Amino acid sequence: MSLIEDSLNNFVSSLASNLEESAPNTRNSFYEIYPIDLKICIEGHQAIYVHLSIEKKEVSLNKLADTQFTIRANIKDVANYVLNRKINRRMIEGDEEIALVFLNLLKKSNVDLIYLIDKYFGNNAAFLSSKLYKNLRSGSRVSRKSPDILHKKLRELSIRVDRLEALS
């Protein structure tokens, strides 16, 4: 297994664990539809094959023998799903029923993406993601002064973190 595949497997396993641990109902719902074998094709990128079961979660760049469904999407479709939680049915090929159940479970799992960004990429990335997410959700336009305001808020946050670290 390549280094990329190994990293993907570790990421998917921990992400799946975070999803399952987010709520007992979510975990039980996923267990009811496992095992799932799917193919994800993001426009302009290599296909990714995913196997999810109670025992293991695997990601591979090598073709799986049999997949239940394929998700063919572009970046806009993915962003629309993440931000607006709307499923574009045209991106599903194969067993549409299982795919919709799976995607709806993901959608309703109430995973805090900002928490996951903080956990994997640090608090600065989480803060920026949170600000970006709030701006996108509110539909507000970012003004030219926004970088200065954002820089000021990041500086204030950094000072607070430094003070907290000094106390401990």
Side-chain angles (χ1 to χ4, degrees):
M1 186 179 296
S2 73
L3 183 61
I4 292 172
E5 286 179 313
D6 194 34
S7 297
L8 276 172
N9 272 330
N10 291 338
F11 175 75
V12 167
S13 291
S14 60
L15 182 63
S17 296
N18 288 330
L19 285 171
E20 290 175 356
E21 291 171 11
S22 67
N25 293 337
T26 302
R27 181 179 350 168
N28 294 338
S29 298
F30 278 116
Y31 284 3
E32 287 178 18
I33 63 170
Y34 281 166
I36 293 178
D37 292 307
L38 68 124
K39 177 181 174 183
I40 301 172
C41 296
I42 304 295
E43 190 176 293
H45 298 282
Q46 186 175 356
I48 298 172
Y49 296 88
V50 180
H51 169 78
L52 302 171
S53 67
I54 295 172
E55 299 84 26
K56 63 182 177 176
K57 284 83 175 149
E58 290 181 321
V59 175
S60 176
L61 300 175
N62 301 321
K63 185 175 182 178
L64 290 176
D66 188 33
T67 56
Q68 294 162 303
F69 61 92
T70 299
I71 298 174
R72 250 180 236 294
N74 56 35
I75 297 298
K76 184 179 177 183
D77 292 330
V78 173
N80 192 35
Y81 176 74
V82 171
L83 295 173
N84 300 323
R85 298 184 181 256
K86 292 188 180 178
I87 299 168
N88 185 349
R89 290 183 130 183
R90 73 169 174 78
M91 62 184 196
I92 299 170
E93 297 174 4
D95 193 337
E96 190 173 309
E97 183 179 344
I98 291 175
L100 288 174
V101 169
F102 177 72
L103 291 171
N104 279 319
L105 277 174
L106 283 176
K107 181 171 80 170
K108 294 177 182 176
S109 63
N110 293 325
V111 172
D112 186 355
L113 289 176
I114 304 301
Y115 166 75
L116 291 176
I117 291 170
D118 181 43
K119 183 174 179 180
Y120 292 107
F121 302 108
N123 56 10
N124 289 338
F127 178 74
L128 291 173
S129 299
S130 173
K131 287 306 226 181
L132 179 63
Y133 181 75
K134 286 177 184 174
N135 283 340
L136 288 172
R137 295 294 289 173
S138 69
S140 66
R141 290 273 184 210
V142 178
S143 70
R144 289 191 124 342
K145 293 183 180 181
S146 186
D148 295 331
I149 294 168
L150 188 58
H151 184 267
K152 180 182 174 186
K153 288 184 179 183
L154 280 172
R155 180 72 182 133
E156 289 172 0
L157 180 64
S158 178
I159 290 168
R160 285 188 210 147
V161 168
D162 289 342
R163 287 180 184 160
L164 286 172
E165 287 176 350
L167 290 173
S168 57

